[in-house]
Amino acid sequence: MAILLGVDTGGTYTDAVLIRDEQEVIASAKSLTTRHDLAIGIGGAVAAVLEQSGVAPGEIALASLSTTLATNALVEGQGGRVGLVYIGFREQDLEGHGLRAALGGDPALIVSGGHNHAGYEARALDHAALQAWLSEDHGISAYAVAAQFATRNPEHELTAARMITEITGRPVSCSHHLSAKLNGPKRALTALLNARLIGMIARLINEAEGKLTELGITAPLMVVRGDGALISADQARERPIETILSGPAASIVGARWMTGVETALVSDIGGTTTDVAVLRGGKPTIDPAGAQVGPWRTMVEAVAMRTTGLGGDSEVHVVAEGLAGGVTLGPRRVLPVSLIAQEAPDVVHRTLEIQLRSAVPNEHDVVFTRAVSGVDAGGLPERDAALLERIAAGVCPVGDVLRTRMEHQALRRLVTRGLVQVSGVTPSDASHVLGRVDAWDREAAEKALTLLSRKRTGSGNVLAANAREMAEMIVERLTYQTVLALLETGFAEEETPFGLAPDQLARHVLMQRGMDGHAGLVRVAAGLGVPVVGLGASAASYYPAVGARLGCEMILPEHAGVANAIGAVVGQVTIRRSGTVTAPSEGLYRVHLESGPQDFTTSDAALEMLEQALTEAARGEALAAGAEDIQVTARRDLRTAQAEARQVFLEGEITVEASGRPRIAI
């Protein structure tokens, strides 16, 4: 009998489950995610399932972790300060794929160097310029290196990485380690985001391992990748970008395990995001264009999924324009007022009472701040550092810490760096007011929604009559935005050319009237044609209304609230490695390897050598990830042309996949 432990660290909750022999859930529990010390939330959830089940820590044969932290960080623009070394490119290339926007003001060095498409050196690497730049103090936590055609010859990336390590001692992300594909700016973006996440994911894994050891659990720790596969903790530390969509991918694996459904949309609502994917034939598809999270399209292999900044802790924004007014949600996550009131009840209730006695609503009503300890604050401008020092005193109303209009931007920068959290009204607060949830401080939620309801619309009327009416408005908006997310996913998967983008189709008046069941001279009916599997702790509260609106079956599994933790431990170890053979001249076939290009006189010999090298690498990484009974498959994609009645080899790409179940401790 094998006992498996699955843990999922989300933006709001940390979940834990125990599964016996991959057949049944024997215990599940939740604990609040503690951003300042993730080990507290992990320990609370794991200790709870051990106590609930009576399982001894030594009986656990395997532990696995999934997380939405990387996804949330990219959606919210958070992470460490990074430096980009961009080799062989031009200044204008920083605009490609939103690279400059992703830098967000972080330093970048464009330096001479790089190779051409055949792997020959195009220009020498400027060692002096790189050394001078690295010797300056930029307050950088990790570096990203991307060189022109590094997937054809990585020499300059590897040289730059060695120099960074020797001079700064900081972690380095090389773009060719993250993808074997061409497209330098997109690889650079992927490496940049990987570098930004290194500190955050390393901290999570270290704290998880430390807490499990402290609890007496000695089983190996695995981490879920964005495609739902498992990798070792060490591999996740090196390539944290591969854990984006880790939590959502685990939820897809968990949904399939719990329901056995073959074809469906799977919608997972968390605190920060709603993640929607399609199951076909019982399997999620891999996004061929690379994982997209928020505005960023990466080169990371991950489940094809649409991630929307919509969750139970999404910030509620008042729409004052127009006669009716209303609210909209997200994409930023904030701490619910009902939650922060549990941490600092005196401050929160006293502030809300003062605001309620005021005759005029203020822009800072129901907004609080608190500092997050344990996050590197290096490189902060003077104004930001001064504001952080004031906030560090504890939970406080935002109006008490912002002294000038300029400090609004400083606060946004501190939130982006993950140094400060903001609290405000969320759907979770609305659920407390409506009695759907009773986890935190309902009285604080009622006061907060009463304050929000007093805001004025364009007609001069108040937004809502009372807190309950305000809460219903917020939940209705959540239903509407969830319906749009599901419809957009459905339209994106349709093969029929409708002539409009998925978001335009979802919002189209005919679609909306069709869901209303319009029946005049023309009858219009619309909805989803497949079931929806609703996942997440709040799915049972919100999703029945979503299913009714879409006219589809809504499946809410028994353990929907811990689907991510279940999926974290029932998946397989899968390692994919890809490589290319090119033909730079007649009779010459070049294999592009990590050690540099290697030439052959026949395409068959080159392809055979590449497949052997990729097989060894994939099998070795699968073993390092803790896999056993490894199965290896290889796929060849060859490009040829017809010339003078003969086939001419142009290029070949080989992808090798090594898969197996993780070894369990005996």
Side-chain angles (χ1 to χ4, degrees):
M1 180 181 72
I3 303 294
L4 312 179
L5 169 66
V7 179
D8 175 74
T9 302
T12 303
Y13 281 108
T14 295
D15 302 336
V17 297
L18 289 177
I19 296 178
R20 179 186 288 117
D21 292 335
E22 299 185 37
Q23 297 296 320
E24 80 177 297
V25 176
I26 58 175
S28 65
K30 289 180 174 289
S31 179
L32 282 172
T33 295
T34 43
R35 292 267 182 127
H36 65 286
D37 185 353
L38 296 167
I40 297 174
I42 293 170
V46 174
V49 290
L50 291 174
E51 181 179 357
Q52 185 186 132
S53 64
V55 169
E59 293 182 66
I60 294 175
L62 177 71
S64 188
L65 174 72
S66 69
T67 179
T68 60
L69 290 188
T71 308
N72 295 348
L74 297 188
V75 168
E76 298 173 2
Q78 295 184 358
R81 180 175 171 83
V82 300
L84 172 65
V85 177
Y86 211 26
I87 302 171
F89 293 94
R90 302 163 299 170
E91 182 76 25
Q92 54 263 44
D93 291 327
L94 286 173
E95 307 301 331
H97 296 278
L99 189 52
R100 190 183 296 279
L103 275 165
D106 286 356
L109 172 69
I110 299 175
V111 64
S112 177
H115 292 76
N116 62 22
H117 69 282
Y120 295 113
E121 185 176 78
R123 288 166 297 278
L125 176 63
D126 190 339
H127 291 76
L130 178 56
Q131 183 169 355
W133 188 74
L134 292 173
S135 299
E136 299 172 7
D137 182 13
H138 300 285
I140 290 169
S141 63
Y143 289 83
V145 179
Q148 195 170 40
F149 287 106
T151 55
R152 296 294 168 86
N153 191 333
E155 178 189 0
H156 288 179
E157 281 196 5
L158 294 172
T159 300
R162 282 194 297 271
M163 291 178 64
I164 291 169
T165 301
E166 292 168 1
I167 296 172
T168 72
R170 295 292 189 179
V172 188
S173 296
C174 291
S175 76
H176 76 279
H177 285 157
L178 300 170
S179 175
K181 297 178 180 178
L182 298 177
N183 193 329
K186 194 172 179 182
R187 274 189 295 106
L189 172 67
T190 304
L192 174 70
L193 297 178
N194 190 69
R196 199 179 295 288
L197 293 170
I198 281 176
M200 177 185 298
I201 298 303
R203 183 166 68 97
L204 168 63
I205 293 171
N206 292 342
E207 292 178 359
E209 287 183 328
K211 180 53 67 174
L212 293 180
T213 301
E214 182 183 318
L215 291 171
I217 298 170
T218 58
L221 178 65
M222 309 294 290
V223 179
V224 181
R225 210 168 51 195
D227 59 359
L230 304 180
I231 54 177
S232 70
D234 286 342
Q235 290 168 329
R237 285 188 186 93
E238 293 175 7
R239 301 180 182 184
I241 190 70
E242 294 187 355
T243 69
I244 62 171
L245 299 179
S246 162
S251 75
I252 306 298
V253 177
R256 166 66 177 166
W257 187 85
M258 287 186 291
T259 66
V261 67
E262 289 287 318
T263 303
L265 292 185
V266 179
S267 184
D268 185 5
I269 180 170
T272 308
T273 61
T274 291
D275 307 301
V276 185
V278 181
L279 270 177
R280 293 185 188 275
K283 295 181 179 180
T285 56
I286 303 300
D287 193 335
Q292 177 155 357
V293 183
W296 315 123
R297 173 69 75 176
T298 71
M299 287 182 128
V300 176
E301 288 189 340
V303 170
M305 184 172 293
R306 296 180 78 89
T307 297
T308 306
L310 174 68
D313 298 343
S314 289
E315 184 176 18
V316 175
H317 303 274
V318 172
V319 180
E321 296 79 13
L323 297 179
V327 295
T328 187
L329 308 177
R332 188 173 73 159
R333 173 189 181 270
V334 294
L335 289 170
V337 174
S338 53
L339 175 56
I340 204 167
Q342 284 201 312
E343 180 178 330
D346 293 343
V347 172
V348 173
H349 281 281
R350 182 174 65 250
T351 302
L352 294 175
E353 289 290 349
I354 292 171
Q355 293 171 352
L356 284 167
R357 287 195 294 270
S358 173
V360 181
N362 185 282
E363 65 173 319
H364 297 317
D365 283 352
V366 306
V367 183
F368 299 86
T369 63
R370 75 169 182 194
V372 180
S373 61
V375 181
D376 183 11
L380 282 180
E382 185 177 342
R383 177 181 285 113
D384 297 19
L387 178 59
L388 179 60
E389 187 175 349
R390 293 201 296 275
I391 294 173
V395 174
C396 49
V398 73
D400 289 359
V401 296
L402 295 181
R403 296 175 180 173
T404 67
R405 300 298 300 180
M406 295 290 290
E407 289 188 338
H408 284 77
Q409 292 297 328
L411 178 60
R412 290 192 186 96
R413 289 192 293 270
L414 292 174
V415 171
T416 297
R417 285 282 300 272
L419 293 162
V420 167
Q421 287 181 300
V422 171
S423 173
V425 174
T426 69
S428 295
D429 294 310
S431 292
H432 277 78
V433 170
L434 295 174
R436 298 184 180 186
V437 178
D438 187 24
W440 306 322
D441 190 331
R442 178 176 178 174
E443 184 182 356
E446 288 178 340
K447 291 176 181 177
L449 266 69
T450 299
L451 281 163
L452 200 66
S453 71
R454 301 192 313 175
K455 302 268 186 180
R456 299 283 175 174
T457 67
S459 65
N461 296 322
V462 294
L463 193 60
N466 51 47
R468 186 172 186 84
E469 186 175 308
M470 188 75 246
E472 289 171 348
M473 183 184 298
I474 292 169
V475 172
E476 285 173 8
R477 182 68 192 188
L478 179 65
T479 299
Y480 172 74
Q481 289 185 216
T482 303
V483 165
L484 290 182
L486 287 162
L487 288 175
E488 287 174 19
T489 302
F491 279 122
E493 291 292 317
E494 289 282 3
E495 297 179 0
T496 305
F498 289 101
L500 293 174
D503 61 329
Q504 294 174 310
L505 288 165
R507 289 168 171 78
H508 198 282
V509 62
L510 285 177
M511 191 71 211
Q512 296 298 319
R513 288 293 183 89
M515 289 189 295
D516 290 335
H518 176 82
L521 293 176
V522 175
R523 181 170 58 84
V524 183
L528 281 181
V530 297
V532 173
V533 180
L535 304 177
S538 58
S541 176
Y542 299 131
Y543 277 13
V546 172
R549 176 68 176 158
L550 290 167
C552 67
E553 179 187 5
M554 179 62 67
I555 303 172
L556 298 170
E558 179 185 356
H559 299 291
V562 291
N564 295 24
I566 291 172
V569 79
V570 297
Q572 281 203 325
V573 173
T574 301
I575 302 294
R576 296 184 194 89
R577 287 292 167 260
S578 297
T580 307
V581 173
T582 59
S585 60
E586 188 172 357
L588 181 66
Y589 303 93
R590 177 162 292 169
V591 180
H592 298 277
L593 301 169
E594 170 81 3
S595 56
Q598 193 167 330
D599 295 337
F600 293 83
T601 56
T602 68
S603 60
D604 287 345
L607 290 167
E608 188 63 32
M609 189 275 175
L610 176 60
E611 183 170 330
Q612 181 180 343
L614 293 174
T615 298
E616 290 176 1
R619 182 181 288 277
E621 287 201 44
L623 284 169
E628 61 183 4
D629 299 328
I630 297 171
Q631 303 295 316
V632 178
T633 59
R635 186 182 73 250
R636 294 189 179 191
D637 182 13
L638 305 181
R639 289 177 52 210
T640 60
Q642 195 76 20
E644 299 178 355
R646 65 189 182 95
Q647 286 286 106
V648 177
F649 178 93
L650 299 178
E651 187 173 299
E653 181 177 326
I654 298 178
T655 300
V656 170
E657 182 175 289
S659 297
R661 277 295 296 158
R663 288 189 298 273
I664 60 174
I666 303 299

